[in-house]
Amino acid sequence: MDNIIEVNHPLLKNLVTKLRDIHTKPYDFRKYLSEIGRILLVEALKNEKLNKKEIEIWIGKGEFPVLEENKYVFIPILRAGLPMLDGVQEMIPDSSTGFLALKRNEETLESVLYYDRVPPLDGKIAIILDPMVATGGSLDYAIRVIKGKNPEKIISLNVIGAPEGLKRINKNHPDVTVYIAQIDERLNDNGYIIPGIGDTGDRAFNTE
Ligand code: PRP
Ligand code: URA
């Protein structure tokens, strides 16, 4: 699965363990998701091309490397992707943000789209934010919607994935690179990741 990159950094593994801990409170849970998003972004953009820009520094004018920040569009998948947004926006302040909302039907495990405020993406790099890839249905759906908006490239930042869902993304979207903090063992009969972190949206936003 060439396009699925599990990022093996000790800081990430440490944060994932904090998420797993059932005693972690919603405020901290959201903060850890944000920190993981930031670390994944650093890894995902490590080979990005830089432009040259002339600026004034203390010894006069000079050309220095800059990122074309307004090429990047973050797309958190509501709800659970929302806490991953703050951290990455701080890293690329001149990025844009679009929103997609999907909800799994917990009986059929099919994803339903209920909100799309993603702008046209011509010439842009779309960066999806969603903590969980379980059956992969939500990410598969999100990628299809985003592809319809014609981005130059799509990257996905995810926290925990099941092999089943990641295989689906690898098969259906080999052109999308997924950076993920942890690949777990399997799905249970209800489509939850084992060992996983439980229901991420509920834990992040203190709902049942
Ligand atoms: C969660 C999660 C993913 C999806 C993953 O969202 O944030 O979007 O499940 O499951 P899948 O890979 O089987 O599609 P959920 O549908 O629970 O909605 P929520 O974020 O609003 O809680
Ligand atoms: N959604 C979650 O929040 N957790 C899972 O384990 C699977 C889907």
Side-chain angles (χ1 to χ4, degrees):
M1 295 203 290
D2 280 357
N3 63 324
I4 313 291
I5 299 173
E6 184 178 16
V7 183
N8 283 310
H9 195 292
L11 289 175
L12 279 177
K13 302 300 173 190
N14 188 50
L15 286 164
V16 168
T17 298
K18 289 179 192 227
L19 289 177
R20 290 200 205 275
D21 188 334
I22 197 69
H23 300 294
T24 295
K25 293 235 165 38
Y27 177 84
D28 291 320
F29 192 87
R30 295 194 300 270
K31 190 155 56 71
Y32 300 145
L33 287 174
S34 172
E35 286 168 6
I36 290 172
R38 199 193 285 256
I39 297 170
L40 291 173
L41 181 73
V42 169
E43 181 65 21
L45 299 191
K46 74 177 179 194
N47 294 319
E48 286 297 285
K49 286 212 194 86
L50 294 165
N51 293 338
K52 284 263 168 79
K53 185 182 178 191
E54 188 177 82
I55 57 168
E56 280 185 89
I57 65 165
W58 67 291
I59 49 171
K61 284 185 180 170
E63 283 204 332
F64 295 93
V66 287
L67 194 67
E68 202 180 327
E69 293 195 16
N70 58 19
K71 245 188 119 140
Y72 298 85
V73 183
F74 292 115
I75 306 171
I77 309 301
L78 307 185
R79 283 179 300 171
L82 209 48
M84 294 176 73
L85 182 61
D86 289 9
V88 294
Q89 274 179 327
E90 282 170 12
M91 303 284 281
I92 310 184
D94 280 343
S95 58
S96 312
T97 301
F99 296 89
L100 269 188
L102 290 162
K103 179 77 193 96
R104 264 192 350 174
N105 176 320
E106 293 298 339
E107 313 265 285
T108 63
L109 300 183
E110 292 290 314
S111 301
V112 181
L113 177 72
Y114 62 93
Y115 188 63
D116 174 357
R117 285 283 278 152
V118 177
L121 295 171
D122 304 80
K124 304 282 185 182
I125 297 175
I127 305 184
I128 299 171
L129 311 169
D130 190 351
M132 308 306 274
V133 186
T135 64
S138 303
L139 185 54
D140 191 346
Y141 199 136
I143 292 171
R144 285 175 204 278
V145 173
I146 290 165
K147 281 185 173 170
K149 295 172 191 277
N150 203 29
E152 184 180 304
K153 184 159 82 172
I154 304 175
I155 294 168
S156 182
L157 306 184
N158 307 98
V159 179
I160 302 189
E164 296 90 328
L166 294 168
K167 274 186 202 135
R168 176 170 177 172
I169 301 305
N170 170 254
K171 179 166 167 277
N172 294 349
H173 305 287
D175 50 336
V176 173
T177 310
V178 171
Y179 294 85
I180 191 156
Q182 175 69 34
I183 301 178
D184 266 358
E185 287 165 26
R186 63 183 173 88
L187 290 180
N188 72 8
D189 292 343
N190 300 322
Y192 277 81
I193 299 174
I194 302 296
I197 54 178
D199 192 306
T200 312
D202 282 345
R203 292 194 60 196
F205 296 109
N206 205 19
T207 54
E208 295 269 327

